[in-house]
Amino acid sequence: MYSLRNVNPMVRRIRVSPQSALQRRSEQITALLQQGEQKPFKEVIDISSGDSHKTGIKPISFVRQVLSVCLYPELLHDDTLPGDVRQRAQRLLGECDGGSVGSYTDSCGLPHVQRSVAEFITGRDGGVPSYPRNIFISAGSQTALKVMVKLLVRGEGVSQTGVLTPQPCPHTLPMLLEEVGAVLVPYQLREEQGWALELGELHRALTASRGHCRPRALYISNPGHVQSRKSIEWVIQFAAEERLFLLVNEVYQDCVYGEGREFVSYKRVLFEMGQQYSEMVELASFHSISNGIMGECGLRAGYMELVNVDPAVMVFAETLLCTDISTPVIGQIALEIMVNPPRPGDPSHNKYTQEILTNRITLAQNAQRAWEFLIGLPGVSCQPVTGGIFIYPHLSLPPEAVEQAKSDGLEADVLYSQTLLDEEGVCVGAGCEHGQREDKYHIRLCVLIPSATLEKVLARLGSFHLHFLDQFSQHA
Amino acid sequence: MYSLRNVNPMVRRIRVSPQSALQRRSEQITALLQQGEQKPFKEVIDISSGDSHKTGIKPISFVRQVLSVCLYPELLHDDTLPGDVRQRAQRLLGECDGGSVGSYTDSCGLPHVQRSVAEFITGRDGGVPSYPRNIFISAGSQTALKVMVKLLVRGEGVSQTGVLTPQPCPHTLPMLLEEVGAVLVPYQLREEQGWALELGELHRALTASRGHCRPRALYISNPGHVQSRKSIEWVIQFAAEERLFLLVNEVYQDCVYGEGREFVSYKRVLFEMGQQYSEMVELASFHSISNGIMGECGLRAGYMELVNVDPAVMVFAETLLCTDISTPVIGQIALEIMVNPPRPGDPSHNKYTQEILTNRITLAQNAQRAWEFLIGLPGVSCQPVTGGIFIYPHLSLPPEAVEQAKSDGLEADVLYSQTLLDEEGVCVGAGCEHGQREDKYHIRLCVLIPSATLEKVLARLGSFHLHFLDQFSQHA
């Protein structure tokens, strides 16, 4: 019997995340309900991850139609499908070896998809050129990020690569950095300013890291907080001065909806700052089909664009991607459609635009609705959301609850989330997942979900919250 | 500009494989042909990898039909599609969260797919039970293998984990072992015996490795050479005595066609050897939708079954799979169909069976045809193939060719393959990729390709071979 003591000690060190534990518990409860067990709720609603299809957000028809024709090309003759669906499928099949989505593609993806991504970026950034050779298609943004961090890792002890990482950060990031051998250097986002990124805090974090690692990269979510152009310029200047490689998570670029806010890419600002910066600052930007409005998590595709990286380095990026053999072709095709949607006049244009718009409106309205509801709860404060698909309220929990959690060996926000799941069947993320400072408790809710589902969540959460506070006050 | 000197030295050490270089050259030539450049051939035929769709092998209709309905559920109402296609799609969509293939699944895959795989294995192994909890769905067998080797790696210097690895071996294996930090301990397959695995050689390799690493695992391809049951028993005894974890690549299990040969799984033999072995020997078996008759390389899915592994260890296997986020759902569904095909009486049963059979017959006939042709060429010897999708002839090359290669900084079989590609537009694999001993030269050809394509390959290869020998004799 192969037992734990024989397992790689580096692997054994990996902490199973509270979120995984919560999701497993959520599945167990669902199974019990299906077996007929009685609970105060009929179904579990899981809004802990960014998986919007799971909660009932619908896929975009054009994407799915094209994919289904690519898989079963007999449908090319099915004239109940729109003409542009069949044309697109035919065009994309022509790019696949042997005309089959069952063939491998290059490690960096189908050249046609690389080209479409580069054109999309050029258009998005007002003409700042993007080149297909700098585009790496991967099975999601995470895969590409891991490749990039692997390239950046070197040195040991005080010269080991450090990555400046926001707190809160995506919950998969700490594990990724640990797996690859990079040191996480935390910098705090300023909650009171809507989770703004502050230059002073970046300097503080950098200085504090000296002596225990060598920071070589700065990870940014754009948007997390929707940064102003000026703020992006400051960050780029900082990266230039400190010679930091910019790792910019731009997976929510199509989810900016705060009034007067717009998405501006780091690359665009970099190029508009002039040659002094545009020819020097090293940058990787990540995007995917999973996280944004499209929500195609299960198809697995994303891309990375590299800026100011020597072609000799890119060969190794490609080699590392190659160990994953090939990005799923179906995902690559969905990505192509995301960056190259039907155009005005195309038969599918109206429907496509309408479906995307509907999801966007749902998202923006939900973000507003959830915020209004949450700030009305006692002991809850919450920053309004202007971008992304999550809302992240702060909880002031009774000391008795914190004590109880401590004696259970849990963070207090995990205890809160677990109890919410058990009592009301709502699964949310716990703030400690995202690198929260101790005794600052948060939960995370995905709001790219059907509005009716959000109402159920808020109703359950509201009554639970009062009950939870009450219970621990009684204990006191 | 991020330059090579700043890249992770471990990554910089990775050697770009000659096969990647060959495939890139092959794509460049294809691009030139498309731009109208004149060559002695009209198209490049690439049979260097196991990508059979690329060469024109057709996908299995039922698989593609079900997948297309899963992607675009409107097709559930399309009664031109067979009833069992629509039923299967409906059933599988019911297993996806939110009824969408766009949702994430558990890290180990959809529970329904795990169950189908376990039932398939139980049936295949004559009732030896397989349990869904021991099945890990992954984005191809390679991904799962990497997870398993990661778990096995520990120690440093003389106690660093070694993996006994056949020569020749799959060309991706050396890079995988290096990436994860395991030591490759080579053992030679006996070419003259049809690439048989010999117990004496395993002992030799094990002994030779002592003092520079600690062998903890034995990698076997079953089939590579189609082993007899007796031979599998010996290997299992050896693994038991030496406490080696068995890593068994069984991705070609549906490709055994030599007369009187059949596939027997390591797990089945293990269980039939009695408790002394069946409760002790640790084993992981790998299978995928890419490599066998189905040839769905681009969809990315496979599975690993673990035997005699503590559940506490499996948690870490799951955690490591989790860093890849989720196996592509479309691939998982194709895998479900591969292990649970239409049954007699189902509307699609005949067509499915026929299509699989056609591919099998093509494969077996091609293997025979290629062998007969190759042994007729001067300076070529070749073992008959009884399983798998590759044929692996040995080349006796003129010393002048070997000299020439050396002065070009190449292995002689790479020079041969490059010249074959340039002059005749046929891309084959070079034996040195697979860990060939020096001055033993081989090429590798995939024979799961349309028969007409095989004829073109043989004709081009035959005339090239004579010309190559001739050219170097003239130089002498």
Side-chain angles (χ1 to χ4, degrees), chain A residues 2 51 53 150 179 308, chain B residues 2 53 100 104 150 179 308:
Chain A
Y2 192 68
D51 186 345
H53 286 199
K150 248 187 209 169
E179 197 190 332
N308 289 323
Chain B
Y2 192 67
H53 286 198
S100 170
Y104 291 121
K150 247 186 210 171
E179 196 190 331
N308 289 323

Side-chain angles (χ1 to χ4, degrees), chain A residues 51-107:
Chain A
D51 186 345
S52 55
H53 286 199
K54 183 177 192 165
T55 60
I57 291 289
K58 292 280 164 269
I60 305 299
S61 304
F62 183 75
V63 175
R64 295 304 193 85
Q65 288 169 330
V66 172
L67 292 179
S68 85
V69 178
C70 286
L71 274 161
Y72 187 53
E74 289 286 310
L75 294 171
L76 285 169
H77 314 298
D78 178 348
D79 51 21
T80 65
L81 288 168
D84 55 347
V85 164
R86 291 178 283 151
Q87 279 156 23
R88 179 71 69 102
Q90 190 141 39
R91 169 89 177 88
L92 287 162
L93 282 173
E95 301 290 330
C96 298
D97 283 333
S100 170
V101 295
S103 300
Y104 291 122
T105 69
D106 287 359
S107 310

Side-chain angles (χ1 to χ4, degrees), chain A residues 28-42:
Chain A
Q28 284 160 353
I29 296 176
T30 298
L32 290 173
L33 287 169
Q34 281 164 354
Q35 290 158 29
E37 194 164 309
Q38 293 299 311
K39 297 261 179 198
F41 46 88
K42 288 210 179 90

Side-chain angles (χ1 to χ4, degrees), chain B residues 32-45:
Chain B
L32 289 174
L33 286 169
Q34 282 165 355
Q35 290 159 28
E37 193 162 311
Q38 292 299 311
K39 298 260 178 199
F41 47 88
K42 289 210 178 91
E43 89 283 52
V44 174
I45 305 175

Side-chain angles (χ1 to χ4, degrees), chain B residues 254-281:
Chain B
D254 62 355
C255 300
V256 174
Y257 40 83
E259 219 186 301
R261 306 293 181 110
E262 58 165 349
F263 171 75
V264 190
S265 78
Y266 264 67
K267 185 185 170 205
R268 178 175 194 161
V269 177
L270 175 63
F271 275 74
E272 292 174 357
M273 286 168 75
Q275 283 189 354
Q276 177 189 1
Y277 295 98
S278 70
E279 293 183 357
M280 187 184 94
V281 176

